[in-house]
Amino acid sequence: MSSGRVSRDACVRMMASVATFCALSAAPLTPQDLAADTPPYSETYRPQFHFTAERNWLNDPNGLVYYEGEYHLFYQYNPNGNSWGDISWGHAVSTDLVHWKQLPLALSYDDNEMVFSGSAVVDWDNTTRFGTKKNPPMVAIYTSHNKSTGVQAQSIAYSTDRGRTWTKYQGNAVIDIGSKDFRDPKVQWYEPTKSWLMTVSLSAEHKVQFYSSKNLKDWRLQSEFGPAGATGGVWECPDLFPLAVDGDPKKTKWVLVVNVNPGGIAGGSAAQYFVGDYDGKRFTADDKGTYNPPTGTVVQDFESTDFGSWTTTGTAFGTAPAAGAVDGQGAVSGYDGKGLANSFHSGDGTTGALTSPSFTVDSKYLNFKVGGGRHPHVDGTEMEQGPPPAGTVLADFEGGTYGGWTATGDAFGTAPATGTLPNQQEVSGFLGSGLVNTHRNGDSTTGTLTSPEFTIDKDHVNFLVGGGNHPVGSDNPTAVELLVDGQVVRSTTGQDGEALHWASWDVKDLAGKKAQIKIVDDNSGGWGHLDVDHIMLSDAQAQPVSQETSVNLIVDGKVVRSATGANSETLDWASFDMRPYAGKEAQIQIVDRNTAGWGHILADRFTESDTPAKSVVQRAGWADYGKDYYAAVSWENAPGGKRYMIGWMNNWDYSGAIPTSPWRGAQSIPREMALRTVDGRIRLTSQPVNSVTSLRQGHPASAIGTTVEDTSKTLIGPAAKGKALDIEATFSPKDAERFGLKVRTGANGEETVIGYDTTTQELYVDRSRSGAVDFNSTFPGVQTAPLKAKDGKVRLRILVDWSSVEVFGGSGEAVITDQIFPDPASQGVQVFAENGTVKLDKAVVWHLGSAHK
């Protein structure tokens, strides 16, 4: 269960970074979203043919099973709110995987446990003795998360009335290994051994375990798989199933799906897969062979006794290349030769930069190896903390008192702190000699500190903040809040570090309002404290300080390409596309501005080449290359031996910040899965379930034989406009570098671009201008998937819903799923070509009706 992380501090902090950015920059929800009288399923961003709960938070699909004419979809659900918490199993059924009927809550949280992800089976032979052979029980196998200990164990529940009511087994848990990272059981009947097979994740160890049972109660461990492939985040929601290769039932391979977060192909959450064989006990992945990176000209390999012409600032990189790990560091691997750049000198607390001489870009790609921390470069940040902007100081916490501020609880003491408190890491970045620091008696204390009322008479509220990352909306926040009329209208948190950095709220829309600042520490766990200083009103936004650990390409004084490590001491290949900067002067800069966990960077073997190097993540198998397809699992017992899969259409990077209400979270369109040989390799492919065509309305709009050159133009005309569309398009590439379709186009350049890049042979979706994108820094951007033209044609199937696009390229080997949040008035569809000509052989646009009617 992907939200298994949320039960622990590490997971809450991950979601907190999302909520923090949202509070700083997100536009308020539209009145339509918030209106109490808006009919259900007609809200601004409500999907019309993707499953959503009528209200409240939803994440992973669970318990996917077909029984007596119904596809069952259970799902992670908060019955009490629109953010993660009180996790239970919601429930819906469908006869066609498109039209869903919501049923009452199936498995509820209670005082002892939350009900995390799992699966369901029909116990046809009544091996559990929960039913009869005439009325076989439906059995749910789920992860029971102990709320007091955090231990995750596998439990079961059963139903004898087609899943309408459930009873938890009195003998739970059926597997308990005492782990806090043991979750998401997928169970199936394995006919050769006449036994049940469970595939379950040891998430933090990047392993999948296989268990066998005769009765779903008594389980025996058979084997383990992993680590393998992408391991940049936890492994969750595994699934194992056989598929015929190229439709040949005599040639069957097994597919192991392992969802990973973070560290997916597009960043954050994603669904990885392996193809191989299963012998009844052990899964063995097919051997892909040894990876040989492209050859080229090495410009820096750090094999000398010094950095040569590269210059250093700060102390993080030392005075010469490192020979592997340095003092206090874990084992470092993956670098070439004897030396590398390593910024762990004196630990994560040091900062600095290592910069190349200026050079003229004359190669297509710059390949290099990178490791260390995953702290990306953020545009607009400063390398050094400067003085505060001019304005009115509301509180600087100097003078030994809190002045007119009101404290509750014991976290704030009787006066501001003067720096670092006992048993606390060094606190830095505050101004003067006083600050708010709630690390009193460690993290165990809680309380609030509230300012006197003031009038918002400037454009920004700026302040310095550090400490814990537990946002408003989590069970136990550590947050700085702006209150207007007693309601929280802005909030932010620390970033799990003791260095204070500037945060800023844009409050122009609140001009003239009476407000208060409230500092809340309601957390007694890890990083359960806040550091705050110098709260002020200003017409200028305070610029945050960089916290990156990154390798940057600098052109014309700006960072134009950037890469980070993956919170790992193993270096892996990365590549910068240099073609847009041919002939320009550039520099490479390796930057460490982070003093918190994984606050260091590793780099080696910078090589100019004509082809890009590929990382382990790029070489892995992905069921979807978009940002919003996670926790993907498949239905058991589907008619005709079909294998249908569905995923949570969201990403943990920003899942709690997407601008939807009164619901949050949607499922992807169900997909029919297949194994096909593509370019000599067996690939997992997917296509939308056929029944989505039942939503097509009237006659389609179509265009045939349209040639497009260096332009964007309206496709077909008004008949193609819409918010919910099913588009099929075939292109014949000519000499255009990029071509494709733009959907949900509208005023002010709003568009979602679905294109094909002939120079890289990649399908892509660019949602940078797709509508609301500013609620999280990782949301806007471009997602790519490798796709070669077949028979000189590029074929696309595109499903557009009110807040998503799903793009299926070729025979389904390249799929990109992305959420979008456009203006409802943005309904245009355009065809485009860049730097040349393309022929649109045919495009057919169907309007899709609502599945809710």
Side-chain angles (χ1 to χ4, degrees):
M1 180 241 177
S2 50
S3 48
R5 294 181 318 283
V6 183
S7 63
R8 308 189 310 278
D9 285 338
C11 178
V12 175
R13 289 195 293 271
M14 176 183 299
M15 293 186 64
S17 64
V18 174
T20 301
F21 196 97
C22 176
L24 289 173
S25 65
L29 296 178
T30 66
Q32 183 180 356
D33 286 323
L34 300 175
D37 59 351
T38 300
Y41 302 106
S42 65
E43 301 93 346
T44 299
Y45 299 130
R46 174 74 78 167
Q48 294 301 292
F49 57 91
H50 292 82
F51 180 80
T52 54
E54 182 175 339
R55 302 183 65 84
N56 299 349
W57 171 274
L58 164 156
N59 56 290
D60 305 357
N62 297 154
L64 307 182
V65 67
Y66 180 83
Y67 182 53
E68 293 192 355
E70 293 179 326
Y71 293 93
H72 289 263
L73 169 62
F74 301 88
Y75 49 91
Q76 296 286 274
Y77 182 64
N78 180 0
N80 300 319
N82 203 22
S83 58
W84 188 93
D86 293 338
I87 292 299
S88 308
W89 275 26
H91 190 194
V93 292
S94 173
T95 59
D96 65 357
L97 293 171
V98 171
H99 298 84
W100 293 95
K101 177 184 178 182
Q102 298 201 26
L103 296 177
L105 194 68
L107 298 174
S108 177
Y109 77 99
D110 57 33
D111 291 341
N112 299 315
E113 72 173 13
M114 285 193 284
V115 183
F116 282 3
S117 287
S119 52
V121 296
V122 178
D123 184 12
W124 295 105
D125 293 328
N126 195 31
T127 64
T128 56
R129 303 294 185 263
F130 290 151
T132 66
K133 285 200 174 183
K134 288 187 176 180
N135 184 28
M138 188 181 293
V139 181
I141 307 93
Y142 66 93
T143 295
S144 171
H145 170 82
N146 188 298
K147 293 166 73 172
S148 61
T149 66
V151 168
Q152 297 175 358
Q154 313 321 315
S155 295
I156 59 177
Y158 62 92
S159 170
T160 55
D161 59 359
R162 297 167 50 242
R164 268 55 179 181
T165 61
W166 291 83
T167 302
K168 292 180 181 179
Y169 176 48
Q170 292 297 309
N172 282 338
V174 295
I175 311 179
D176 185 353
I177 61 173
S179 171
K180 296 182 179 181
D181 294 287
F182 177 52
R183 54 182 175 267
D184 312 338
K186 179 65 189 292
V187 173
Q188 61 188 284
W189 180 255
Y190 186 67
E191 182 62 27
T193 59
K194 304 259 186 247
S195 60
W196 298 103
L197 165 64
M198 178 190 291
T199 307
V200 64
S201 176
L202 287 174
S203 58
E205 298 178 42
H206 309 117
K207 290 182 179 180
V208 169
Q209 290 188 325
F210 303 99
Y211 287 81
S212 180
S213 173
K214 294 295 185 181
N215 59 9
L216 292 172
K217 302 173 185 176
D218 304 300
W219 294 89
R220 176 176 295 179
L221 177 64
Q222 300 294 310
S223 66
E224 293 181 347
F225 172 81
T231 57
V234 292
W235 277 18
E236 298 182 317
C237 302
D239 195 3
L240 179 71
F241 50 85
L243 283 175
V245 178
D246 298 321
D248 183 357
K250 295 181 180 179
K251 186 180 180 182
T252 298
K253 301 288 285 186
W254 285 76
V255 179
L256 176 63
V257 174
V258 181
N259 292 269
V260 60
N261 175 71
I265 183 62
S269 315
Q272 178 182 205
Y273 73 89
F274 302 88
V275 176
D277 298 295
Y278 180 72
D279 63 4
K281 287 192 174 182
R282 187 176 303 277
F283 174 82
T284 304
D286 290 348
D287 186 358
K288 293 184 178 180
T290 302
Y291 176 67
N292 295 310
T295 58
T297 303
V298 177
V299 296
Q300 175 60 279
D301 57 8
F302 300 109
E303 294 300 296
S304 300
T305 56
D306 57 27
F307 288 122
S309 57
W310 290 45
T311 58
T312 62
T313 60
T315 58
F317 291 91
T319 58
V326 298
D327 290 346
Q329 188 176 22
V332 174
S333 61
Y335 60 99
D336 288 356
K338 298 179 180 179
L340 76 157
N342 184 342
S343 74
F344 195 75
H345 289 80
S346 299
D348 283 329
T350 54
T351 60
L354 179 60
T355 307
S356 77
S358 181
F359 62 95
T360 302
V361 176
D362 57 5
S363 64
K364 293 181 179 179
Y365 296 93
L366 179 69
N367 300 327
F368 56 95
K369 288 191 163 185
V370 63
R374 185 194 286 113
H375 305 284
H377 171 80
V378 177
D379 288 338
T381 56
E382 303 288 345
M383 285 299 168
E384 301 289 344
Q385 181 168 293
T392 304
V393 176
L394 298 175
D396 59 9
F397 304 109
E398 303 296 314
T401 73
Y402 287 123
W405 290 56
T406 302
T408 66
D410 53 1
F412 294 86
T414 58
T418 56
T420 307
L421 294 173
N423 300 314
Q424 184 178 24
Q425 299 175 32
E426 182 180 356
V427 177
S428 62
F430 60 99
L431 301 178
S433 59
L435 76 155
V436 171
N437 183 343
T438 67
H439 196 269
R440 315 267 174 168
N441 195 27
D443 285 325
S444 63
T445 53
T446 60
T448 65
L449 183 66
T450 306
S451 76
E453 193 172 67
F454 61 92
T455 300
I456 298 177
D457 58 3
K458 297 187 183 300
D459 291 346
H460 298 273
V461 177
N462 300 321
F463 53 95
L464 292 163
V465 62
N469 192 343
H470 307 278
V472 170
S474 63
D475 288 341
N476 303 105
T478 55
V480 184
E481 302 174 350
L482 179 66
L483 306 180
V484 174
D485 297 328
Q487 301 298 311
V488 179
V489 295
R490 302 286 190 277
S491 69
T492 193
T493 74
Q495 293 294 319
D496 294 342
E498 302 293 15
L500 282 75
H501 296 280
W502 283 112
S504 183
W505 293 323
D506 186 329
V507 291
K508 289 191 284 291
D509 61 315
L510 301 173
K513 297 273 190 181
K514 298 289 186 181
Q516 290 177 288
I517 301 289
K518 187 176 184 179
I519 304 172
V520 178
D521 177 356
D522 190 35
N523 197 294
S524 56
W527 286 105
H529 66 277
L530 273 177
D531 309 312
V532 182
D533 194 22
H534 210 80
I535 302 171
M536 62 179 302
L537 289 164
S538 176
D539 285 329
Q541 177 182 357
Q543 293 301 309
V545 178
S546 168
Q547 298 182 54
E548 68 198 87
T549 52
S550 60
V551 178
N552 297 330
L553 178 69
I554 300 174
V555 177
D556 295 331
K558 295 181 179 180
V559 175
V560 296
R561 294 283 189 270
S562 187
T564 75
N567 289 351
S568 171
E569 304 291 19
T570 300
L571 286 80
D572 193 11
W573 283 105
S575 183
F576 288 157
D577 184 349
M578 308 287 278
R579 292 172 300 168
Y581 315 108
K584 295 197 172 193
E585 292 299 298
Q587 287 180 290
I588 303 163
Q589 188 171 67
I590 309 171
V591 181
D592 176 0
R593 297 300 311 167
N594 197 290
T595 60
W598 286 105
H600 62 280
I601 185 81
L602 313 171
D604 194 21
R605 200 161 183 87
F606 288 85
T607 307
E608 295 176 337
S609 179
D610 287 337
T611 54
K614 292 185 177 182
S615 67
V616 168
V617 171
Q618 291 171 310
R619 303 194 308 268
W622 299 100
D624 194 296
Y625 288 80
K627 290 280 271 188
D628 294 308
Y629 188 74
Y630 190 63
V633 286
S634 65
W635 268 273
E636 292 300 317
N637 198 40
K642 299 284 190 179
R643 183 61 58 170
Y644 299 117
M645 180 170 280
I646 193 170
W648 178 44
M649 201 160 59
N650 214 334
N651 191 307
W652 281 113
D653 277 356
Y654 45 73
S655 56
I658 60 172
T660 64
S661 177
W663 85 101
R664 184 168 282 123
Q667 308 294 6
S668 74
I669 201 71
R671 300 161 186 195
E672 183 173 350
M673 312 306 291
L675 285 177
R676 302 183 191 277
T677 303
V678 180
D679 297 327
R681 184 163 70 87
I682 298 174
R683 301 273 296 275
L684 182 65
T685 66
S686 60
Q687 295 287 355
V689 64
N690 285 336
S691 49
V692 75
T693 60
S694 68
L695 299 176
R696 290 175 173 176
Q697 296 184 321
H699 297 287
S702 60
I704 298 175
T706 300
T707 298
V708 185
E709 181 177 4
D710 289 332
T711 189
S712 296
K713 64 181 182 180
T714 300
L715 178 67
I716 302 167
K721 287 187 174 183
K723 296 191 293 181
L725 303 171
D726 185 351
I727 304 173
E728 296 177 352
T730 301
F731 293 88
S732 290
K734 302 297 184 182
D735 59 351
E737 289 185 4
R738 288 170 296 278
F739 61 82
L741 298 174
K742 298 179 180 180
V743 300
R744 300 304 302 270
T745 64
N748 302 315
E750 191 165 288
E751 62 184 15
T752 297
V753 183
I754 299 162
Y756 185 78
D757 189 325
T758 61
T759 67
T760 60
Q761 295 186 303
E762 289 178 325
L763 175 70
Y764 67 90
V765 173
D766 183 348
R767 64 179 182 188
S768 301
R769 299 174 301 280
S770 60
V773 299
D774 64 349
F775 51 84
N776 181 268
S777 62
T778 68
F779 186 85
V782 182
Q783 283 65 253
T784 64
L787 177 66
K788 291 186 177 180
K790 185 176 181 181
D791 302 323
K793 308 288 186 183
V794 173
R795 295 175 174 87
L796 304 178
R797 172 84 179 276
I798 303 166
L799 296 181
V800 181
D801 206 343
W802 285 15
S803 56
S804 66
V805 292
E806 290 167 290
V807 184
F808 300 82
S811 58
E813 68 270 25
V815 185
I816 297 176
T817 299
D818 276 353
Q819 293 182 95
I820 56 172
F821 300 102
D823 189 302
S826 296
Q827 299 186 28
V829 180
Q830 297 179 343
V831 60
F832 76 93
E834 296 178 6
N835 299 326
T837 301
V838 69
K839 181 183 178 183
L840 174 62
D841 297 328
K842 186 176 182 180
V844 181
V845 182
W846 294 86
H847 289 265
L848 296 183
S850 174
H852 305 306
K853 296 177 180 177

